Amino acid sequence: PLSQTQPWAAYWLVRSWLAHGQLAQAQRWLPHPHQAKDWTWGQLAWAHFCLARQRGAEAMAWLHPLHQMSERDGRQFLNIETGLLLALAYQQEGDQTRARYHLTDALCQAEPERFIRLFLEMGQPLAELLATLPGTDNSRYLLDRLENRALPPTTPAELAEPLSGREQEILHLVAHGLS
Protein backbone atom coordinates (compact mmCIF):
# COMPACT_ATOMS: atom_id res chain seq x y z
CA PRO A 1 0.00 0.00 0.00
CA LEU A 2 1.01 3.55 -0.69
CA SER A 3 0.97 4.51 2.99
CA GLN A 4 3.98 2.23 3.52
CA THR A 5 5.86 3.41 0.44
CA GLN A 6 8.76 5.81 0.42
CA PRO A 7 7.61 9.02 -1.34
CA TRP A 8 10.46 9.01 -3.86
CA ALA A 9 9.80 5.36 -4.71
CA ALA A 10 6.10 6.05 -5.32
CA TYR A 11 7.11 8.91 -7.63
CA TRP A 12 9.37 6.66 -9.68
CA LEU A 13 6.74 3.94 -9.81
CA VAL A 14 4.24 6.47 -11.16
CA ARG A 15 6.77 7.63 -13.75
CA SER A 16 7.56 4.04 -14.73
CA TRP A 17 3.91 3.05 -15.16
CA LEU A 18 3.24 6.22 -17.16
CA ALA A 19 6.21 5.50 -19.42
CA HIS A 20 4.61 2.13 -20.15
CA GLY A 21 1.24 3.71 -20.87
CA GLN A 22 -0.33 2.13 -17.78
CA LEU A 23 -2.35 5.02 -16.34
CA ALA A 24 -4.47 2.82 -14.07
CA GLN A 25 -1.36 1.27 -12.51
CA ALA A 26 0.25 4.69 -12.13
CA GLN A 27 -2.86 6.03 -10.41
CA ARG A 28 -2.62 3.28 -7.77
CA TRP A 29 0.69 4.77 -6.61
CA LEU A 30 -0.45 8.38 -6.46
CA PRO A 31 -0.85 9.81 -2.99
CA HIS A 32 -4.15 11.28 -1.91
CA PRO A 33 -4.16 14.88 -3.21
CA HIS A 34 -4.21 16.34 0.34
CA GLN A 35 -1.24 14.18 1.33
CA ALA A 36 0.64 15.04 -1.87
CA LYS A 37 0.65 18.74 -1.05
CA ASP A 38 2.98 17.94 1.86
CA TRP A 39 5.75 16.39 -0.21
CA THR A 40 7.56 17.34 -3.38
CA TRP A 41 7.58 13.82 -4.82
CA GLY A 42 3.79 13.59 -4.56
CA GLN A 43 3.27 16.89 -6.31
CA LEU A 44 5.62 15.88 -9.11
CA ALA A 45 3.88 12.51 -9.45
CA TRP A 46 0.50 14.23 -9.76
CA ALA A 47 1.89 16.69 -12.33
CA HIS A 48 3.24 13.86 -14.51
CA PHE A 49 -0.04 11.99 -14.18
CA CYS A 50 -2.08 15.04 -15.19
CA LEU A 51 0.14 15.63 -18.21
CA ALA A 52 -0.22 12.00 -19.26
CA ARG A 53 -4.00 12.47 -19.15
CA GLN A 54 -3.74 15.67 -21.23
CA ARG A 55 -4.81 17.85 -18.31
CA GLY A 56 -2.30 20.66 -18.56
CA ALA A 57 -4.24 23.10 -16.38
CA GLU A 58 -4.38 20.58 -13.51
CA ALA A 59 -0.66 19.89 -13.92
CA MET A 60 0.04 23.63 -13.65
CA ALA A 61 -1.82 23.77 -10.34
CA TRP A 62 0.64 21.22 -8.96
CA LEU A 63 3.69 22.71 -10.67
CA HIS A 64 3.49 26.45 -10.01
CA PRO A 65 3.97 26.21 -6.21
CA LEU A 66 6.81 23.73 -6.68
CA HIS A 67 8.48 25.90 -9.29
CA GLN A 68 8.30 28.96 -7.05
CA MET A 69 9.67 27.00 -4.08
CA SER A 70 12.52 25.55 -6.14
CA GLU A 71 13.50 29.02 -7.36
CA ARG A 72 13.33 30.45 -3.84
CA ASP A 73 15.32 27.59 -2.28
CA GLY A 74 17.88 27.26 -5.08
CA ARG A 75 16.93 23.67 -5.94
CA GLN A 76 18.28 23.72 -9.47
CA PHE A 77 17.33 20.25 -10.71
CA LEU A 78 13.80 20.58 -9.32
CA ASN A 79 13.54 24.02 -10.90
CA ILE A 80 14.57 22.61 -14.26
CA GLU A 81 12.12 19.70 -13.99
CA THR A 82 9.18 21.87 -12.93
CA GLY A 83 10.00 24.42 -15.63
CA LEU A 84 10.12 21.70 -18.26
CA LEU A 85 6.82 20.22 -17.06
CA LEU A 86 5.25 23.68 -17.04
CA ALA A 87 6.38 24.11 -20.64
CA LEU A 88 4.62 20.87 -21.58
CA ALA A 89 1.51 21.86 -19.59
CA TYR A 90 1.30 25.24 -21.33
CA GLN A 91 1.81 23.47 -24.65
CA GLN A 92 -1.16 21.20 -23.87
CA GLU A 93 -3.25 24.24 -23.05
CA GLY A 94 -2.30 25.94 -26.31
CA ASP A 95 -0.20 28.74 -24.79
CA GLN A 96 2.90 28.44 -26.96
CA THR A 97 4.44 31.69 -25.72
CA ARG A 98 4.55 30.54 -22.09
CA ALA A 99 5.51 27.02 -23.17
CA ARG A 100 8.55 28.35 -25.07
CA TYR A 101 9.44 30.69 -22.20
CA HIS A 102 9.55 27.86 -19.64
CA LEU A 103 11.38 25.53 -22.03
CA THR A 104 13.99 28.17 -22.86
CA ASP A 105 14.51 28.90 -19.17
CA ALA A 106 14.89 25.18 -18.39
CA LEU A 107 17.35 24.76 -21.28
CA CYS A 108 19.45 27.71 -20.08
CA GLN A 109 19.61 26.33 -16.55
CA ALA A 110 20.37 22.78 -17.69
CA GLU A 111 23.06 23.58 -20.25
CA PRO A 112 26.01 24.35 -17.91
CA GLU A 113 25.51 21.08 -16.05
CA ARG A 114 24.53 19.13 -19.20
CA PHE A 115 21.29 17.86 -17.67
CA ILE A 116 20.06 16.01 -20.72
CA ARG A 117 18.26 12.88 -19.61
CA LEU A 118 15.36 14.77 -18.06
CA PHE A 119 14.64 16.43 -21.40
CA LEU A 120 14.99 13.25 -23.41
CA GLU A 121 12.59 11.39 -21.12
CA MET A 122 9.78 13.75 -22.16
CA GLY A 123 9.72 12.32 -25.68
CA GLN A 124 7.65 13.50 -28.61
CA PRO A 125 5.73 16.35 -26.91
CA LEU A 126 9.07 17.96 -26.06
CA ALA A 127 10.42 17.36 -29.57
CA GLU A 128 7.43 19.23 -30.99
CA LEU A 129 8.01 22.15 -28.64
CA LEU A 130 11.78 22.19 -29.21
CA ALA A 131 11.18 22.40 -32.96
CA THR A 132 9.46 25.77 -32.42
CA LEU A 133 12.52 27.34 -30.76
CA PRO A 134 15.32 29.14 -32.58
CA GLY A 135 18.08 26.57 -33.00
CA THR A 136 20.76 26.77 -30.34
CA ASP A 137 23.46 24.12 -30.03
CA ASN A 138 21.72 22.65 -27.00
CA SER A 139 18.22 22.62 -28.48
CA ARG A 140 19.50 21.14 -31.78
CA TYR A 141 21.39 18.45 -29.85
CA LEU A 142 18.30 17.50 -27.83
CA LEU A 143 16.02 17.60 -30.86
CA ASP A 144 18.43 15.36 -32.77
CA ARG A 145 18.50 12.87 -29.88
CA LEU A 146 14.72 12.90 -29.57
CA GLU A 147 14.21 12.42 -33.30
CA ASN A 148 16.80 9.65 -33.51
CA ARG A 149 15.38 7.85 -30.48
CA ALA A 150 18.67 7.93 -28.59
CA LEU A 151 16.92 6.80 -25.42
CA PRO A 152 15.86 3.34 -24.42
CA PRO A 153 12.29 2.68 -25.60
CA THR A 154 9.53 4.03 -23.38
CA THR A 155 6.43 2.46 -24.84
CA PRO A 156 5.34 -1.09 -24.03
CA ALA A 157 5.62 -2.34 -27.60
CA GLU A 158 9.24 -1.17 -27.82
CA LEU A 159 10.58 -2.54 -24.54
CA ALA A 160 13.44 -4.98 -24.92
CA GLU A 161 11.85 -7.25 -22.34
CA PRO A 162 9.41 -6.81 -19.45
CA LEU A 163 10.53 -6.92 -15.84
CA SER A 164 10.80 -10.41 -14.47
CA GLY A 165 8.69 -11.47 -11.51
CA ARG A 166 11.75 -11.23 -9.26
CA GLU A 167 12.60 -7.74 -10.55
CA GLN A 168 9.03 -6.63 -9.85
CA GLU A 169 9.23 -8.14 -6.36
CA ILE A 170 12.49 -6.32 -5.60
CA LEU A 171 11.08 -3.03 -6.88
CA HIS A 172 8.05 -3.53 -4.64
CA LEU A 173 10.31 -4.17 -1.61
CA VAL A 174 12.41 -1.09 -2.33
CA ALA A 175 9.25 0.97 -2.71
CA HIS A 176 8.26 -0.11 0.79
CA GLY A 177 11.58 0.96 2.26
CA LEU A 178 13.12 -2.50 2.43
CA SER A 179 16.52 -2.96 0.90
Coordinates of all heavy atoms in Angstrom, one line a residue, residues 75-143:
R75 N 16.9 25.1 -5.6 CA 16.9 23.7 -5.9 C 16.9 23.6 -7.5 O 15.9 23.4 -8.1 CB 15.8 23.0 -5.3 CG 15.8 23.0 -3.8 CD 14.7 22.4 -3.1 NE 14.5 21.0 -3.4 CZ 13.5 20.2 -3.0 NH1 12.6 20.8 -2.2 NH2 13.5 19.0 -3.3
Q76 N 18.1 23.6 -8.0 CA 18.3 23.7 -9.5 C 17.6 22.6 -10.3 O 16.9 22.8 -11.2 CB 19.8 23.8 -9.9 CG 20.0 24.0 -11.3 CD 21.4 24.0 -11.7 OE1 22.3 23.6 -11.0 NE2 21.7 24.6 -12.9
F77 N 17.9 21.4 -9.9 CA 17.3 20.3 -10.7 C 15.8 20.3 -10.6 O 15.1 20.1 -11.7 CB 17.9 18.9 -10.2 CG 17.5 17.8 -11.2 CD1 18.3 17.6 -12.3 CD2 16.5 16.9 -10.9 CE1 18.0 16.6 -13.2 CE2 16.2 15.9 -11.8 CZ 16.9 15.7 -13.0
L78 N 15.2 20.5 -9.5 CA 13.8 20.6 -9.3 C 13.3 21.8 -10.1 O 12.2 21.6 -10.8 CB 13.4 20.7 -7.9 CG 11.9 20.8 -7.6 CD1 11.1 19.6 -8.1 CD2 11.7 21.0 -6.1
N79 N 14.0 22.9 -10.1 CA 13.5 24.0 -10.9 C 13.5 23.7 -12.4 O 12.6 24.1 -13.1 CB 14.4 25.2 -10.6 CG 13.9 26.5 -11.1 OD1 14.3 27.0 -12.1 ND2 12.8 27.0 -10.5
I80 N 14.5 23.0 -12.9 CA 14.6 22.6 -14.3 C 13.4 21.7 -14.6 O 12.7 21.9 -15.6 CB 15.9 22.0 -14.6 CG1 17.1 23.0 -14.5 CG2 15.9 21.3 -16.0 CD1 18.4 22.4 -14.5
E81 N 13.2 20.7 -13.7 CA 12.1 19.7 -14.0 C 10.8 20.4 -14.0 O 9.9 20.2 -14.9 CB 12.1 18.6 -13.0 CG 11.1 17.5 -13.3 CD 11.1 16.3 -12.4 OE1 12.0 16.2 -11.5 OE2 10.4 15.3 -12.7
T82 N 10.5 21.2 -13.0 CA 9.2 21.9 -12.9 C 9.0 22.8 -14.1 O 7.9 23.0 -14.6 CB 8.9 22.6 -11.6 OG1 10.0 23.5 -11.4 CG2 8.9 21.6 -10.4
G83 N 10.1 23.5 -14.5 CA 10.0 24.4 -15.6 C 9.7 23.7 -16.9 O 8.9 24.1 -17.7
L84 N 10.3 22.5 -17.1 CA 10.1 21.7 -18.3 C 8.7 21.2 -18.3 O 8.0 21.2 -19.3 CB 11.1 20.5 -18.2 CG 11.0 19.5 -19.4 CD1 11.2 20.2 -20.7 CD2 12.1 18.5 -19.2
L85 N 8.2 20.7 -17.1 CA 6.8 20.2 -17.1 C 5.8 21.4 -17.3 O 4.8 21.1 -17.9 CB 6.6 19.5 -15.7 CG 7.4 18.2 -15.5 CD1 7.2 17.7 -14.1 CD2 7.0 17.2 -16.6
L86 N 6.1 22.5 -16.8 CA 5.3 23.7 -17.0 C 5.2 24.0 -18.5 O 4.2 24.3 -19.1 CB 5.7 24.9 -16.2 CG 5.3 25.0 -14.8 CD1 6.1 26.1 -14.1 CD2 3.8 25.2 -14.7
A87 N 6.4 23.9 -19.2 CA 6.4 24.1 -20.6 C 5.4 23.1 -21.3 O 4.7 23.5 -22.2 CB 7.8 24.0 -21.2
L88 N 5.5 21.9 -21.0 CA 4.6 20.9 -21.6 C 3.2 21.1 -21.2 O 2.3 20.9 -22.1 CB 5.1 19.5 -21.2 CG 6.5 19.1 -21.7 CD1 6.9 17.7 -21.1 CD2 6.5 19.0 -23.2
A89 N 2.9 21.6 -20.0 CA 1.5 21.9 -19.6 C 1.0 23.0 -20.4 O -0.2 23.0 -20.9 CB 1.5 22.1 -18.1
Y90 N 1.8 24.1 -20.5 CA 1.3 25.2 -21.3 C 1.1 24.8 -22.8 O 0.2 25.3 -23.5 CB 2.3 26.4 -21.2 CG 2.1 27.2 -20.0 CD1 3.0 27.3 -19.0 CD2 0.9 28.0 -19.8 CE1 2.9 28.0 -17.8 CE2 0.7 28.7 -18.7 CZ 1.7 28.8 -17.7 OH 1.5 29.5 -16.5
Q91 N 2.0 24.0 -23.3 CA 1.8 23.5 -24.7 C 0.5 22.7 -24.8 O -0.3 23.0 -25.8 CB 3.0 22.5 -25.0 CG 2.9 22.0 -26.4 CD 3.9 20.9 -26.7 OE1 4.4 20.2 -25.7 NE2 4.3 20.8 -27.9
Q92 N 0.1 21.9 -23.8 CA -1.2 21.2 -23.9 C -2.3 22.2 -23.9 O -3.4 21.9 -24.5 CB -1.3 20.2 -22.7 CG -0.5 19.0 -22.8 CD -0.8 18.0 -21.7 OE1 -1.6 18.2 -20.8 NE2 -0.1 16.9 -21.7
E93 N -2.2 23.3 -23.2 CA -3.2 24.2 -23.0 C -3.3 25.2 -24.2 O -4.1 26.2 -24.2 CB -3.2 25.0 -21.7 CG -3.4 24.1 -20.5 CD -4.8 23.5 -20.5 OE1 -5.8 24.2 -20.7 OE2 -4.9 22.2 -20.4
G94 N -2.3 25.1 -25.1 CA -2.3 25.9 -26.3 C -1.6 27.3 -26.1 O -1.7 28.1 -27.0
D95 N -0.9 27.5 -25.0 CA -0.2 28.7 -24.8 C 1.3 28.6 -25.2 O 2.1 28.3 -24.3 CB -0.3 29.2 -23.3 CG 0.2 30.5 -23.0 OD1 1.0 31.1 -23.8 OD2 -0.2 31.1 -22.0
Q96 N 1.6 28.7 -26.5 CA 2.9 28.4 -27.0 C 3.9 29.5 -26.5 O 5.1 29.1 -26.3 CB 2.9 28.4 -28.5 CG 2.1 27.3 -29.1 CD 2.5 25.9 -28.6 OE1 3.7 25.6 -28.6 NE2 1.5 25.1 -28.1
T97 N 3.5 30.7 -26.2 CA 4.4 31.7 -25.7 C 5.0 31.3 -24.3 O 6.2 31.3 -24.1 CB 3.7 33.1 -25.6 OG1 3.3 33.4 -27.0 CG2 4.7 34.1 -25.2
R98 N 4.1 31.0 -23.4 CA 4.6 30.5 -22.1 C 5.3 29.2 -22.1 O 6.2 29.0 -21.4 CB 3.4 30.5 -21.1 CG 2.9 31.9 -20.7 CD 2.0 31.8 -19.5 NE 1.7 33.1 -19.0 CZ 0.4 33.6 -18.9 NH1 -0.6 32.9 -19.2 NH2 0.3 34.8 -18.5
A99 N 4.8 28.3 -23.0 CA 5.5 27.0 -23.2 C 7.0 27.2 -23.6 O 7.9 26.7 -23.0 CB 4.8 26.1 -24.2
R100 N 7.2 28.1 -24.6 CA 8.5 28.3 -25.1 C 9.4 29.1 -24.0 O 10.6 28.8 -23.9 CB 8.5 29.1 -26.4 CG 8.1 28.3 -27.6 CD 8.3 29.0 -28.9 NE 7.5 30.1 -29.1 CZ 6.3 30.1 -29.6 NH1 5.8 29.0 -30.0 NH2 5.6 31.2 -29.7
Y101 N 8.7 30.0 -23.3 CA 9.4 30.7 -22.2 C 10.0 29.7 -21.2 O 11.2 29.7 -20.8 CB 8.5 31.7 -21.5 CG 9.1 32.3 -20.2 CD1 10.1 33.3 -20.3 CD2 8.7 31.7 -19.0 CE1 10.6 33.7 -19.1 CE2 9.3 32.2 -17.8 CZ 10.3 33.2 -17.9 OH 10.8 33.6 -16.7
H102 N 9.1 28.8 -20.7 CA 9.6 27.9 -19.6 C 10.6 26.9 -20.2 O 11.5 26.5 -19.5 CB 8.4 27.1 -19.0 CG 7.6 28.0 -18.0 ND1 8.1 28.2 -16.8 CD2 6.4 28.6 -18.1 CE1 7.2 29.0 -16.1 NE2 6.2 29.3 -16.9
L103 N 10.4 26.4 -21.4 CA 11.4 25.5 -22.0 C 12.7 26.2 -22.2 O 13.8 25.6 -21.9 CB 10.9 25.0 -23.4 CG 11.8 24.1 -24.1 CD1 12.3 22.9 -23.3 CD2 11.2 23.7 -25.4
T104 N 12.7 27.4 -22.7 CA 14.0 28.2 -22.9 C 14.7 28.4 -21.5 O 15.9 28.2 -21.4 CB 13.7 29.5 -23.5 OG1 13.1 29.3 -24.8 CG2 15.0 30.3 -23.8
D105 N 13.9 28.7 -20.5 CA 14.5 28.9 -19.2 C 15.1 27.6 -18.7 O 16.2 27.6 -18.1 CB 13.4 29.4 -18.2 CG 14.0 29.8 -16.8 OD1 15.0 30.6 -16.8 OD2 13.5 29.2 -15.8
A106 N 14.4 26.5 -18.8 CA 14.9 25.2 -18.4 C 16.1 24.8 -19.2 O 17.1 24.3 -18.6 CB 13.8 24.1 -18.6
L107 N 16.2 25.1 -20.5 CA 17.3 24.8 -21.3 C 18.6 25.6 -20.8 O 19.7 25.0 -20.7 CB 17.1 25.1 -22.8 CG 16.2 24.1 -23.5 CD1 15.8 24.7 -24.9 CD2 17.0 22.8 -23.7
C108 N 18.3 26.8 -20.5 CA 19.4 27.7 -20.1 C 20.0 27.2 -18.7 O 21.2 27.3 -18.5 CB 19.0 29.2 -20.0 SG 18.7 29.9 -21.6
Q109 N 19.1 26.8 -17.8 CA 19.6 26.3 -16.5 C 20.3 25.0 -16.7 O 21.3 24.7 -15.9 CB 18.4 26.2 -15.6 CG 17.8 27.5 -15.1 CD 16.8 27.2 -14.1 OE1 17.0 26.6 -13.0 NE2 15.5 27.6 -14.5
A110 N 19.8 24.1 -17.6 CA 20.4 22.8 -17.7 C 21.7 22.7 -18.5 O 22.5 21.9 -18.2 CB 19.3 21.9 -18.4
E111 N 21.9 23.7 -19.4 CA 23.1 23.6 -20.2 C 24.4 23.5 -19.5 O 25.2 22.7 -19.8 CB 23.0 24.7 -21.3 CG 24.1 24.6 -22.3 CD 23.9 25.6 -23.5 OE1 23.1 26.5 -23.3 OE2 24.5 25.3 -24.5
P112 N 24.7 24.4 -18.5 CA 26.0 24.4 -17.9 C 26.3 23.0 -17.3 O 27.5 22.6 -17.2 CB 26.0 25.5 -16.9 CG 24.9 26.4 -17.3 CD 23.9 25.5 -18.0
E113 N 25.3 22.4 -16.7 CA 25.5 21.1 -16.0 C 25.3 19.9 -17.0 O 25.4 18.7 -16.5 CB 24.6 21.0 -14.8 CG 24.8 22.1 -13.8 CD 26.2 22.0 -13.2 OE1 26.7 20.9 -13.0 OE2 26.7 23.1 -12.8
R114 N 24.8 20.2 -18.2 CA 24.5 19.1 -19.2 C 23.5 18.1 -18.7 O 23.6 16.9 -18.9 CB 25.8 18.4 -19.6 CG 26.9 19.2 -20.3 CD 26.5 19.8 -21.6 NE 26.5 18.7 -22.6 CZ 25.9 18.8 -23.8 NH1 25.4 20.0 -24.1 NH2 25.9 17.9 -24.6
F115 N 22.4 18.7 -18.0 CA 21.3 17.9 -17.7 C 20.5 17.6 -18.9 O 19.8 18.4 -19.5 CB 20.4 18.6 -16.7 CG 20.9 18.8 -15.3 CD1 20.9 20.0 -14.7 CD2 21.5 17.8 -14.6 CE1 21.4 20.2 -13.4 CE2 22.1 18.0 -13.4 CZ 22.0 19.2 -12.8
I116 N 20.7 16.4 -19.4 CA 20.1 16.0 -20.7 C 18.9 15.0 -20.6 O 17.9 15.1 -21.2 CB 21.1 15.4 -21.7 CG1 22.2 16.5 -22.0 CG2 20.5 14.9 -22.9 CD1 23.4 16.0 -22.7
R117 N 19.2 14.0 -19.7 CA 18.3 12.9 -19.6 C 16.8 13.3 -19.3 O 15.9 12.8 -19.9 CB 18.8 11.9 -18.5 CG 17.9 10.7 -18.3 CD 18.2 9.7 -19.4 NE 17.4 8.6 -19.2 CZ 17.5 7.5 -20.0 NH1 18.5 7.4 -20.8 NH2 16.7 6.5 -19.8
L118 N 16.7 14.3 -18.4 CA 15.4 14.8 -18.1 C 14.6 15.3 -19.3 O 13.4 15.0 -19.4 CB 15.5 15.9 -17.0 CG 14.2 16.5 -16.5 CD1 13.4 15.5 -15.8 CD2 14.6 17.6 -15.5
F119 N 15.3 15.9 -20.2 CA 14.6 16.4 -21.4 C 14.3 15.3 -22.3 O 13.2 15.2 -22.9 CB 15.6 17.4 -22.1 CG 15.7 18.7 -21.4 CD1 16.6 18.9 -20.3 CD2 15.0 19.8 -21.8 CE1 16.8 20.1 -19.7 CE2 15.1 21.0 -21.1 CZ 16.0 21.1 -20.0
L120 N 15.2 14.4 -22.5 CA 15.0 13.2 -23.4 C 13.9 12.3 -22.9 O 13.2 11.8 -23.8 CB 16.3 12.5 -23.6 CG 17.4 13.2 -24.2 CD1 18.7 12.3 -24.3 CD2 17.1 13.8 -25.6
E121 N 13.7 12.2 -21.6 CA 12.6 11.4 -21.1 C 11.2 11.9 -21.5 O 10.2 11.2 -21.4 CB 12.7 11.3 -19.6 CG 13.8 10.4 -19.1 CD 14.0 10.5 -17.6 OE1 13.4 11.3 -16.9 OE2 14.8 9.7 -17.1
M122 N 11.1 13.2 -21.9 CA 9.8 13.7 -22.2 C 9.3 13.4 -23.6 O 8.1 13.6 -23.9 CB 9.8 15.3 -22.0 CG 10.2 15.7 -20.6 SD 9.0 15.1 -19.4 CE 10.0 15.1 -17.9
G123 N 10.1 12.9 -24.4 CA 9.7 12.3 -25.7 C 9.1 13.3 -26.7 O 9.5 14.5 -26.8
Q124 N 8.2 12.8 -27.5 CA 7.7 13.5 -28.6 C 7.0 14.9 -28.3 O 7.3 15.8 -29.0 CB 6.6 12.6 -29.3 CG 6.2 13.2 -30.7 CD 7.3 13.4 -31.6 OE1 8.2 12.7 -31.7 NE2 7.2 14.5 -32.4
P125 N 6.3 15.0 -27.2 CA 5.7 16.4 -26.9 C 6.8 17.4 -26.8 O 6.7 18.5 -27.3 CB 5.0 16.2 -25.6 CG 4.6 14.7 -25.6 CD 5.8 14.0 -26.2
L126 N 8.0 17.0 -26.2 CA 9.1 18.0 -26.1 C 9.7 18.2 -27.4 O 10.1 19.3 -27.7 CB 10.1 17.5 -25.1 CG 11.3 18.4 -24.9 CD1 10.8 19.8 -24.3 CD2 12.4 17.8 -24.0
A127 N 9.8 17.2 -28.2 CA 10.4 17.4 -29.6 C 9.6 18.4 -30.4 O 10.2 19.2 -31.0 CB 10.5 16.0 -30.3
E128 N 8.3 18.3 -30.3 CA 7.4 19.2 -31.0 C 7.6 20.7 -30.5 O 7.7 21.6 -31.3 CB 6.0 18.8 -30.8 CG 5.6 17.5 -31.5 CD 4.3 17.0 -31.1 OE1 3.5 17.7 -30.4 OE2 4.0 15.8 -31.5
L129 N 7.8 20.8 -29.2 CA 8.0 22.1 -28.6 C 9.4 22.7 -29.0 O 9.6 23.8 -29.3 CB 7.8 22.1 -27.1 CG 7.8 23.5 -26.4 CD1 6.8 24.4 -27.0 CD2 7.5 23.2 -24.9
L130 N 10.4 21.8 -28.9 CA 11.8 22.2 -29.2 C 11.9 22.7 -30.7 O 12.6 23.6 -31.0 CB 12.7 21.0 -29.0 CG 13.3 20.8 -27.7 CD1 14.1 19.5 -27.6 CD2 14.3 22.0 -27.3
A131 N 11.1 22.0 -31.5 CA 11.2 22.4 -33.0 C 10.7 23.8 -33.2 O 11.0 24.4 -34.2 CB 10.4 21.4 -33.8
T132 N 10.0 24.4 -32.3 CA 9.5 25.8 -32.4 C 10.4 26.8 -31.9 O 10.2 28.0 -32.2 CB 8.1 26.0 -31.7 OG1 8.4 25.9 -30.3 CG2 7.1 24.9 -32.1
L133 N 11.5 26.4 -31.3 CA 12.5 27.3 -30.8 C 13.6 27.7 -31.8 O 13.9 26.8 -32.7 CB 13.2 26.8 -29.5 CG 12.4 26.5 -28.3 CD1 13.3 25.9 -27.2 CD2 11.8 27.8 -27.8
P134 N 14.2 28.9 -31.7 CA 15.3 29.1 -32.6 C 16.4 28.1 -32.2 O 16.6 27.8 -31.1 CB 15.8 30.6 -32.2 CG 14.6 31.1 -31.4 CD 13.8 30.0 -30.9
G135 N 17.1 27.6 -33.2 CA 18.1 26.6 -33.0 C 19.3 27.0 -32.3 O 20.2 27.7 -32.9
T136 N 19.5 26.6 -31.1 CA 20.8 26.8 -30.3 C 21.5 25.4 -30.4 O 20.9 24.4 -30.7 CB 20.5 27.2 -28.9 OG1 19.8 26.1 -28.2 CG2 19.7 28.4 -28.8
D137 N 22.7 25.4 -30.0 CA 23.5 24.1 -30.0 C 22.8 23.1 -29.1 O 22.6 21.9 -29.5 CB 24.9 24.3 -29.6 CG 25.7 25.0 -30.6 OD1 25.3 25.1 -31.8 OD2 26.8 25.6 -30.2
N138 N 22.4 23.6 -28.0 CA 21.7 22.7 -27.0 C 20.4 22.1 -27.5 O 20.1 21.0 -27.4 CB 21.6 23.3 -25.6 CG 21.4 22.4 -24.5 OD1 21.8 21.2 -24.6 ND2 20.8 22.8 -23.4
S139 N 19.5 23.0 -28.0 CA 18.2 22.6 -28.5 C 18.3 21.7 -29.7 O 17.6 20.7 -29.8 CB 17.3 23.8 -28.8 OG 17.8 24.6 -29.8
R140 N 19.3 22.0 -30.6 CA 19.5 21.1 -31.8 C 20.0 19.8 -31.3 O 19.5 18.7 -31.9 CB 20.5 21.8 -32.8 CG 19.9 22.8 -33.6 CD 20.8 23.2 -34.8 NE 22.0 23.8 -34.3 CZ 22.3 25.1 -34.1 NH1 21.3 26.0 -34.2 NH2 23.4 25.5 -33.7
Y141 N 20.9 19.7 -30.4 CA 21.4 18.5 -29.9 C 20.3 17.6 -29.3 O 20.1 16.4 -29.6 CB 22.5 18.7 -28.8 CG 23.0 17.5 -28.1 CD1 23.9 16.7 -28.7 CD2 22.5 17.1 -26.9 CE1 24.4 15.5 -28.1 CE2 22.9 15.9 -26.2 CZ 23.9 15.2 -26.9 OH 24.4 14.0 -26.2
L142 N 19.4 18.2 -28.4 CA 18.3 17.5 -27.8 C 17.3 17.1 -28.9 O 16.8 15.9 -28.8 CB 17.6 18.4 -26.8 CG 18.4 18.6 -25.5 CD1 17.7 19.7 -24.7 CD2 18.5 17.3 -24.7
L143 N 17.0 17.9 -29.8 CA 16.0 17.6 -30.9 C 16.5 16.4 -31.7 O 15.8 15.5 -32.0 CB 15.7 18.8 -31.7 CG 14.6 18.7 -32.7 CD1 13.3 18.3 -32.0 CD2 14.4 20.0 -33.4

